[in-house]
């Protein structure tokens, strides 16, 4: 799988990845996942994964880290179509500064230890400890916040209190990195990171064997009962064994599915006709990565000038970009997020319209260093499209079409080495606040998340109002004001939400509910 969570370098670049949820009480039943019953009668699922960096959920940095954390470590809540549902918690009540979770009674660790409020507190205390340096702490609890966790075993409740309002905390606790690590894992952190801490698991699967960079095999815990209380019907059964194979080439992955060596595999949009309804095969298409243009606005740079930024927005055609990147399986975005994100305005009147003639009057002769990750379309085709669109407007464009590691190192670590990038954003929480974190506050070199050194007072003020808003209506209003402030000054240009596409052999299914990018639900249906 090719996507890497770019928001985690540095830690503070992830602070705005949040979703809207405040001041409500939610209750979910503890009935089993529809796929949990008779799971032992199902066999195995063979699928693809990229190389994980760590098996410690708190240390998750790249997408495979999150996906594998889902197998072994349960979170308090989970995302479903239409909102959150119970995970380890059956119900919760929250305000902008606190949340109280009531735990289910049937959850146990892999070594038989009951998952009590004290166990949950121990895991969360380690998660928020600065020594842990968990990348998602600012995302879950708010940037720079003070967090206190208390446990009441008699009442089966865990209460989390914040020093400052952060209405997005409950949704933050649905992210895989907050998965509860049992006491056995906390006692041996080195083994936890290696996936070898026996008894550390709170979730359904245990890593049985692995070949680093090659394959990873997980086995279902036969006694496991704590399946999420999904509202959405999940067809099929959970597999007794999950086998992950590292297969970074989508074409090779497709061949493995066709030959029967894989059951579920990540493919590019160009390969969809090869599988959709062919020989009993199918495809699963989910909204996934948000692509948008982000400018380096530091003094002396070509895009410190708003007129130059506006000309770039006029030169690119979002519909053409969508066709190049995702073969029309993606959706052009208006506010840097997928259309189902709360608070999103699907209108387009506030966007800069395409005007190639006007762009040419400004861009002619401009020297532009474009840096883009190769995940933007097949082999970075989206980067190449932007280069050619700007060249057609008369600009002198040098393109660095690079792997994710090089892209991160350049955009996050070399502020003087680039002018424009196509940002590949993973919005795990499904939040309008998420992209804003890359345009506000201190720069990356100053310890913040502001990649392009943007200075937009309207955006800064509205974002601050949104993060501390006490109601959903106020938060939406503030975030929309901030996003439109970005667009009006062309600090960024929303482009497209690129899909995540699985090729499926007959008898297998894959779902991502509620925009849960880190939570693919794989099932045996045949």
């Amino acid at each position: 799988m090719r996507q890497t969570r770019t928001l985690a370098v540095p830690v503070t670049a992830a602070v705005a990845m949040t979703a809207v949820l405040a001041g409500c009480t939610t209750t979910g039943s503890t009935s089993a996942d529809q796929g949990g019953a008779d799971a032992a009668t199902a066999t195995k699922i063979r699928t693809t994964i990229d190389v994980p960096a760590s098996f410690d959920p708190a240390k998750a940095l790249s997408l495979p880290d999150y996906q594998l954390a889902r197998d072994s470590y349960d979170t308090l809540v989970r995302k479903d179509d239409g909102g959150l549902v119970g995970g380890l918690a059956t119900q919760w009540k929250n305000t902008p500064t606190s949340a109280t979770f009531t735990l289910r009674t049937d959850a146990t660790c892999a070594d038989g230890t009951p998952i009590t409020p004290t166990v949950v507190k121990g895991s969360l205390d380690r998660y928020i400890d600065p020594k842990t340096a968990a990348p998602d702490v600012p995302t879950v609890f708010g940037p720079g916040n003070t967090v206190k966790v208390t446990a009441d075993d008699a009442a089966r409740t865990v209460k989390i209190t914040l020093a400052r309002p952060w209405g997005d905390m409950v949704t933050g606790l649905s992210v895989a990195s907050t998965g509860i690590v049992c006491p056995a894992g906390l006692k041996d952190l080195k083994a936890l990171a290696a996936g070898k801490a026996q008894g550390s698991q709170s979730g359904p699967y245990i890593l049985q064997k692995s070949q680093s960079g090659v394959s990873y095999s997980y086995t279902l815990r036969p006694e496991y009962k704590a399946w999420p209380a999904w509202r959405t019907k999940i067809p099929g059964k959970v597999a007794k064994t999950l086998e992950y194979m590292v297969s970074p080439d989508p074409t090779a992955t497709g061949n493995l599915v066709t030959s029967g060596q894989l059951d579920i595999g990540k493919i590019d949009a160009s390969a969809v006709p090869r599988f959709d309804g062919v020989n009993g095969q199918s495809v699963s298409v989910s909204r996934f990565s948000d692509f948008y243009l982000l400018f380096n606005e530091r003094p002396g740079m070509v895009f410190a000038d708003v007129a130059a930024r506006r000309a770039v927005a006029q030169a690119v055609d979002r519909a053409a970009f969508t066709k190049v990147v995702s073969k029309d399986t993606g959706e052009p975005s208006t506010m840097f997020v997928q259309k189902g994100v709360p608070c999103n305005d699907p209108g387009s009147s506030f966007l800069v319209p395409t005007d190639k003639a006007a762009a040419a009057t400004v861009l002619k002769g401009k020297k532009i260093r474009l840096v883009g990750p190769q995940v933007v379309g097949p082999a970075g085709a989206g980067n190449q499209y932007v280069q050619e669109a700007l060249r057609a407007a008369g600009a002198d464009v040098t393109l660095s079409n690079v792997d994710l590691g090089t892209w991160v190192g350049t955009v996050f670590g070399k502020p003087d080495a680039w002018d424009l990038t196509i940002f590949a954003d993973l919005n795990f929480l499904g939040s309008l606040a998420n992209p804003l974190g890359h345009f506000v506050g201190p720069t990356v070199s100053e310890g913040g998340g502001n990649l392009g050194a943007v200075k937009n007072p309207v955006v800064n003020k509205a974002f601050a109002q949104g993060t501390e808003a006490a109601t959903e209506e106020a938060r939406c209003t503030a975030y929309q004001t901030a996003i439109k402030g970005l667009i009006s000054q062309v600090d960024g240009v929303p482009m497209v939400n690129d899909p995540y596409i699985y090729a499926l052999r007959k008898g297998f299914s894959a779902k991502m509910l509620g925009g849960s990018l880190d939570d693919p639900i794989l099932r045996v249906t045949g």
Side-chain angles (χ1 to χ4, degrees):
M1 296 179 181
R2 60 184 188 172
Q3 296 283 1
T4 299
R5 183 171 185 268
T6 59
L7 304 183
V9 184
V11 170
T12 48
V15 298
M17 291 170 41
T18 50
V20 176
L21 182 68
C24 65
T25 299
T26 305
T27 302
S29 71
T30 57
S31 60
D33 181 323
Q34 294 95 326
D38 300 324
T41 63
T43 53
K44 71 173 67 173
I45 293 174
R46 300 165 299 171
T47 187
T48 49
I49 197 77
D50 206 343
V51 180
S54 175
F55 296 96
D56 179 350
K59 297 287 191 178
L61 286 172
S62 63
L63 182 59
D65 298 346
Y66 289 82
Q67 292 175 324
L68 295 183
R70 281 291 180 204
D71 290 337
S72 294
Y73 301 98
D74 280 345
T75 51
L76 289 171
V77 293
R78 298 284 280 273
K79 294 186 74 175
D80 196 350
D81 290 343
L84 298 176
V85 296
L88 288 175
T90 59
Q91 62 182 19
W92 53 95
K93 183 175 183 179
N94 61 295
T95 72
T97 57
S98 70
T100 300
F101 298 87
T102 300
L103 302 189
R104 60 194 303 159
T105 60
D106 58 351
T108 63
C109 301
D111 62 2
T113 301
I115 299 179
T116 62
T118 295
V119 168
V120 171
K121 171 179 163 57
S123 182
L124 293 178
D125 280 344
R126 183 251 173 173
Y127 184 74
I128 63 178
D129 188 337
K131 294 179 181 178
T132 303
D136 287 338
V137 166
T139 302
V140 177
F141 300 112
N145 222 336
T146 300
V147 186
K148 181 180 180 182
V149 183
T150 56
D152 186 336
D153 286 345
R156 296 202 60 77
T157 59
V158 175
K159 184 175 183 180
I160 304 172
T161 306
L162 306 177
R164 297 197 311 273
W166 188 252
D168 306 317
M169 174 174 60
V170 175
T171 302
L173 289 164
S174 71
V175 176
S177 64
T178 68
I180 300 304
V181 178
C182 291
L186 300 181
K187 291 177 181 178
D188 192 343
L189 298 180
K190 185 176 180 179
L192 178 67
K196 298 179 180 179
Q198 295 183 6
S200 66
Q201 300 85 0
S202 59
Y205 287 93
I206 296 174
L207 178 63
Q208 289 291 357
K209 58 182 179 179
S210 65
Q211 291 180 274
S212 181
V214 179
S215 63
Y216 309 88
S217 180
Y218 284 76
T219 300
L220 182 68
R221 293 168 50 195
E223 80 286 0
Y224 182 81
K225 299 179 181 179
W227 299 101
W230 304 119
R231 289 187 296 264
T232 301
K233 181 176 177 57
I234 311 297
K237 303 294 183 182
V238 298
K240 186 175 181 180
T241 302
L242 292 174
E243 292 185 352
Y244 295 93
M245 178 186 296
V246 175
S247 179
D249 183 342
T251 299
T253 297
N255 291 338
L256 291 171
V257 174
T258 300
S259 66
Q261 297 177 69
L262 284 177
D263 304 309
I264 300 173
K266 173 73 168 60
I267 60 171
D268 282 330
S270 59
V272 168
R274 180 181 173 189
F275 295 95
D276 192 11
V278 178
N279 297 325
Q281 300 167 136
S282 61
V283 295
S284 170
V285 181
S286 301
R287 297 187 184 97
F288 198 65
S289 181
D290 299 302
F291 294 152
Y292 47 86
L293 303 185
L294 190 151
F295 301 91
N296 190 339
E297 301 182 26
R298 292 171 174 81
M301 297 293 192
V302 61
F303 292 122
D305 178 11
V306 64
R309 301 196 300 270
R310 189 173 303 279
V312 169
Q314 293 170 328
V316 298
D317 184 320
R318 293 164 65 248
F321 181 84
T322 300
K323 186 177 293 292
V324 168
V325 169
S326 58
K327 306 296 181 184
D328 287 330
T329 59
E331 297 176 341
S333 62
T334 58
M335 283 194 156
F336 307 96
V337 297
Q338 61 172 269
K339 67 179 184 180
V341 166
C343 307
N344 180 47
D345 185 343
S348 60
S349 61
F350 47 85
L351 298 176
V352 177
T354 301
D355 189 337
K356 296 182 179 180
T361 64
V362 176
L363 292 179
K364 184 177 181 179
K366 298 284 189 185
K367 293 185 180 297
I368 299 171
R369 296 166 298 172
L370 171 63
V371 180
Q374 291 170 348
V375 299
V376 184
N383 304 321
Q384 296 166 3
Y385 165 79
V386 172
Q387 179 189 33
E388 292 307 315
L390 299 183
R391 281 179 171 175
D396 179 2
V397 185
T398 302
L399 170 62
S400 296
N401 187 21
V402 296
D403 62 84
L404 277 167
T406 302
W407 176 73
V408 169
T410 302
V411 174
F412 284 83
K414 299 178 181 179
D416 297 325
W418 61 281
D419 299 307
L420 172 66
T421 189
I422 295 90
F423 198 85
D425 197 354
L426 294 186
N427 191 343
F428 283 141
L429 297 183
S431 166
L432 200 62
N434 175 70
L436 287 167
H438 301 300
F439 299 94
V440 300
T443 64
V444 171
S445 59
E446 296 167 337
N450 189 342
L451 285 171
V454 174
K455 294 182 179 180
N456 191 321
V458 171
V459 176
N460 292 339
K461 180 179 179 181
F463 178 71
Q465 291 173 337
T467 59
E468 297 197 356
T471 67
E472 180 177 344
E473 181 180 5
R475 186 154 39 262
C476 283
T477 298
Y479 286 159
Q480 286 189 1
T481 298
I483 290 287
K484 291 178 180 180
L486 282 178
I487 292 172
S488 67
Q489 292 299 306
V490 205
D491 296 312
V493 180
M495 299 298 284
V496 66
N497 179 270
D498 191 48
Y500 198 97
I501 306 174
Y502 276 124
L504 308 165
R505 288 183 62 226
K506 184 178 180 180
F508 298 90
S509 71
K511 286 181 175 290
M512 293 182 184
L513 300 178
S516 52
L517 310 183
D518 60 344
D519 193 7
I521 302 170
L522 311 181
R523 292 289 186 265
V524 180
T525 59

